Amino acid sequence: MTRILQSLAEISARYDVLLCDLWGCVHNGVAPFPAALAALQGFRAQGGRVILITNAPRPARFVAEGLDRMGVPREAWDAIVTSGDAAQDAMFAGAVGRRLWHLGPQKDDGFFTEIPPEWQGRSHVERVPFDQAEGIVCTGPFDELNEVPEDYRPRFLEAKTRGLPLLCANPDVVVDMGETRIYCAGALAALYEEMGGRTLYFGKPHPPIYDMARRRMAEFGLTDDSRVLAIGDGINTDVAGAIGENLDVLFVSGGLAAEQFGADVENPNADLLRAWLDARQQDPQYTIGRLR
């Protein structure tokens, strides 16, 4: 049965590495949470390593630059692993073909232009119009503030008829940007699957992003999974992914599902929390209202 914490410090001595989600845990898409930053900096000050593991559909460099602009200090983290990194590897390997239609906002263009060193000179991927594509790379809606998945049903029907596979660069279904809930690539991919299309995933809760995180851990000389704590607010991504990888996990209940656990976001109601987790057949080792 999950243990409700008041602070990360209650258990931090048990772990050498945090695999910490970003959106909903460290920031809300607009501004960082000061208490979360303090918790991560405190963990690092005691010798721990913080790897930010996010379903953002962009390579890590772009995520780091976004955190800088938001005011997240570099002292709060050691490395970043993104769904975009893991999905990029698959794209350049030809998982959905070589002539690809990009479904997503312009801010995600780095998914194509930021070619990792290991793929330099041999990526052979070309972005083309939809009618020339042999595959789709989805990083989100074109207009994430105004569009919903159903807007893409006609295009997806044509894509399914043509047998186009879809690479989903971000398995998240929704995120909260400040007070606004927006759809992510995962919602579009779910619709495509529902319609009979073939979809490939590489971010949380799927193994490739965790394999990449472990490679980053190994660079720090850390290989013991029992000393790793995953942190996240997504029950179907962060929590399910960590449990699937046999990692301890701290569920941040004050993120996406905050309204389910009572009026005090900082202090989830234990009965409501456990009933909600039971209904989803998930049992994280720990829960905290907000990361602090």
Side-chain angles (χ1 to χ4, degrees):
M1 186 173 293
T2 193
R3 171 184 166 191
I4 299 176
L5 305 180
Q6 291 302 309
S7 74
L8 177 65
E10 294 177 44
I11 57 169
S12 59
R14 303 178 187 180
Y15 302 101
D16 298 322
V17 182
L18 302 181
L19 298 183
C20 187
D21 182 44
L22 274 174
W23 213 311
C25 296
V26 177
H27 65 72
N28 66 356
V30 177
F33 301 130
L37 298 183
L40 298 181
Q41 289 173 301
F43 184 80
R44 293 187 74 241
Q46 295 173 358
R49 297 286 190 173
V50 175
I51 298 177
L52 302 176
I53 179 168
T54 169
N55 272 349
R58 293 170 293 284
R61 178 176 72 84
F62 295 97
V63 173
E65 291 171 357
L67 294 177
D68 290 342
R69 289 191 297 270
M70 196 181 289
V72 175
R74 294 281 176 128
E75 293 77 16
W77 54 273
D78 294 281
I80 300 175
V81 174
T82 77
S83 178
D85 292 326
Q88 244 195 348
D89 271 350
M91 178 185 72
F92 286 132
V96 291
R98 298 296 181 184
R99 295 169 59 78
L100 305 175
W101 179 60
H102 177 208
L103 169 53
Q106 188 175 6
K107 68 179 182 179
D108 295 336
D109 284 355
F111 188 88
F112 295 88
T113 60
E114 185 78 359
I115 302 175
E118 61 269 27
W119 291 106
Q120 292 285 345
R122 62 187 190 96
S123 60
H124 307 304
V125 166
E126 180 184 3
R127 276 191 289 179
V128 298
F130 175 74
D131 60 0
Q132 300 174 25
E134 58 185 12
I136 301 170
V137 170
C138 179
T139 62
F142 288 122
D143 182 353
E144 57 190 11
L145 293 177
N146 296 296
E147 292 181 327
V148 299
E150 281 295 326
D151 293 334
Y152 291 90
R153 184 175 287 275
R155 182 58 59 91
F156 282 169
L157 180 59
E158 183 180 349
K160 185 197 73 168
T161 301
R162 290 169 51 195
L164 303 186
L166 183 148
L167 186 154
C168 177
N170 174 2
D172 286 349
V173 174
V174 294
V175 294
D176 291 327
M177 181 177 287
E179 300 300 317
T180 303
R181 182 155 292 191
I182 62 176
Y183 286 102
C184 301
L188 303 181
L191 174 61
Y192 193 53
E193 282 188 298
E194 177 188 305
M195 295 174 64
R198 184 167 71 92
T199 302
L200 290 78
Y201 297 94
F202 298 88
K204 297 175 290 183
H206 304 280
I209 194 170
Y210 293 98
D211 294 343
M212 188 167 283
R214 286 187 175 95
R215 292 200 294 272
R216 296 292 181 271
M217 286 169 46
E219 293 170 4
F220 298 122
L222 301 167
T223 58
D224 184 356
D225 278 0
S226 71
R227 300 285 297 176
V228 178
L229 178 68
I231 301 173
D233 69 322
I235 195 69
N236 295 319
T237 51
D238 303 301
V239 174
I243 291 173
E245 295 290 323
N246 199 30
L247 301 173
D248 287 357
V249 59
L250 171 60
F251 173 51
V252 178
S253 64
L256 282 170
E259 70 280 0
Q260 302 294 326
F261 311 118
D264 187 352
V265 173
E266 299 282 351
N267 296 285
N269 178 284
D271 292 334
L272 292 175
L273 171 66
R274 286 165 184 145
W276 189 85
L277 291 173
D278 286 347
R280 285 150 185 81
Q281 298 184 312
Q282 298 289 0
D283 189 22
Q285 283 82 5
Y286 313 106
T287 295
I288 195 167
R290 298 274 195 188
L291 180 59
R292 58 185 183 267

PDB file of all heavy atoms in Angstrom, residues 55 80 133 151 193 225 264:
ATOM      1  N   ASN A  55       8.618  12.829 -21.462  1.00  0.00           N
ATOM      2  CA  ASN A  55       8.027  12.424 -22.733  1.00  0.00           C
ATOM      3  C   ASN A  55       7.981  13.562 -23.743  1.00  0.00           C
ATOM      4  O   ASN A  55       7.271  13.468 -24.750  1.00  0.00           O
ATOM      5  CB  ASN A  55       6.617  11.857 -22.513  1.00  0.00           C
ATOM      6  CG  ASN A  55       6.643  10.365 -22.225  1.00  0.00           C
ATOM      7  OD1 ASN A  55       7.663   9.708 -22.384  1.00  0.00           O
ATOM      8  ND2 ASN A  55       5.514   9.827 -21.795  1.00  0.00           N
ATOM      9  N   ILE A  80      19.435  14.812 -19.044  1.00  0.00           N
ATOM     10  CA  ILE A  80      18.056  14.781 -19.526  1.00  0.00           C
ATOM     11  C   ILE A  80      17.928  13.661 -20.549  1.00  0.00           C
ATOM     12  O   ILE A  80      18.772  13.518 -21.435  1.00  0.00           O
ATOM     13  CB  ILE A  80      17.655  16.113 -20.183  1.00  0.00           C
ATOM     14  CG1 ILE A  80      17.770  17.272 -19.183  1.00  0.00           C
ATOM     15  CG2 ILE A  80      16.234  16.036 -20.734  1.00  0.00           C
ATOM     16  CD1 ILE A  80      17.509  18.639 -19.798  1.00  0.00           C
ATOM     17  N   ALA A 133       4.148  10.566 -48.379  1.00  0.00           N
ATOM     18  CA  ALA A 133       4.771   9.920 -47.225  1.00  0.00           C
ATOM     19  C   ALA A 133       4.572   8.417 -47.218  1.00  0.00           C
ATOM     20  O   ALA A 133       3.557   7.894 -47.693  1.00  0.00           O
ATOM     21  CB  ALA A 133       4.207  10.514 -45.945  1.00  0.00           C
ATOM     22  N   ASP A 151     -10.139  16.194 -34.748  1.00  0.00           N
ATOM     23  CA  ASP A 151      -9.878  17.029 -35.926  1.00  0.00           C
ATOM     24  C   ASP A 151      -9.074  16.273 -36.981  1.00  0.00           C
ATOM     25  O   ASP A 151      -9.091  16.647 -38.164  1.00  0.00           O
ATOM     26  CB  ASP A 151      -9.118  18.303 -35.525  1.00  0.00           C
ATOM     27  CG  ASP A 151      -9.951  19.233 -34.662  1.00  0.00           C
ATOM     28  OD1 ASP A 151     -11.188  19.183 -34.772  1.00  0.00           O
ATOM     29  OD2 ASP A 151      -9.362  20.001 -33.873  1.00  0.00           O
ATOM     30  N   GLU A 193      -4.714   4.318 -33.479  1.00  0.00           N
ATOM     31  CA  GLU A 193      -4.812   2.894 -33.132  1.00  0.00           C
ATOM     32  C   GLU A 193      -6.266   2.444 -33.091  1.00  0.00           C
ATOM     33  O   GLU A 193      -6.616   1.360 -33.586  1.00  0.00           O
ATOM     34  CB  GLU A 193      -4.154   2.649 -31.776  1.00  0.00           C
ATOM     35  CG  GLU A 193      -2.646   2.583 -31.802  1.00  0.00           C
ATOM     36  CD  GLU A 193      -2.094   2.150 -30.461  1.00  0.00           C
ATOM     37  OE1 GLU A 193      -2.299   2.869 -29.474  1.00  0.00           O
ATOM     38  OE2 GLU A 193      -1.457   1.088 -30.395  1.00  0.00           O
ATOM     39  N   ASP A 225      19.736  -0.811  -9.978  1.00  0.00           N
ATOM     40  CA  ASP A 225      18.350  -0.362 -10.070  1.00  0.00           C
ATOM     41  C   ASP A 225      17.686  -0.211  -8.707  1.00  0.00           C
ATOM     42  O   ASP A 225      16.734   0.565  -8.555  1.00  0.00           O
ATOM     43  CB  ASP A 225      17.533  -1.349 -10.911  1.00  0.00           C
ATOM     44  CG  ASP A 225      17.689  -1.111 -12.407  1.00  0.00           C
ATOM     45  OD1 ASP A 225      18.434  -0.181 -12.798  1.00  0.00           O
ATOM     46  OD2 ASP A 225      17.061  -1.860 -13.184  1.00  0.00           O
ATOM     47  N   ASP A 264      -7.097  19.698  -0.758  1.00  0.00           N
ATOM     48  CA  ASP A 264      -5.725  20.120  -0.448  1.00  0.00           C
ATOM     49  C   ASP A 264      -4.744  19.373  -1.344  1.00  0.00           C
ATOM     50  O   ASP A 264      -4.415  18.209  -1.085  1.00  0.00           O
ATOM     51  CB  ASP A 264      -5.426  19.844   1.027  1.00  0.00           C
ATOM     52  CG  ASP A 264      -4.081  20.406   1.470  1.00  0.00           C
ATOM     53  OD1 ASP A 264      -3.308  20.873   0.608  1.00  0.00           O
ATOM     54  OD2 ASP A 264      -3.801  20.356   2.684  1.00  0.00           O
TER      55      ASP A 264
END
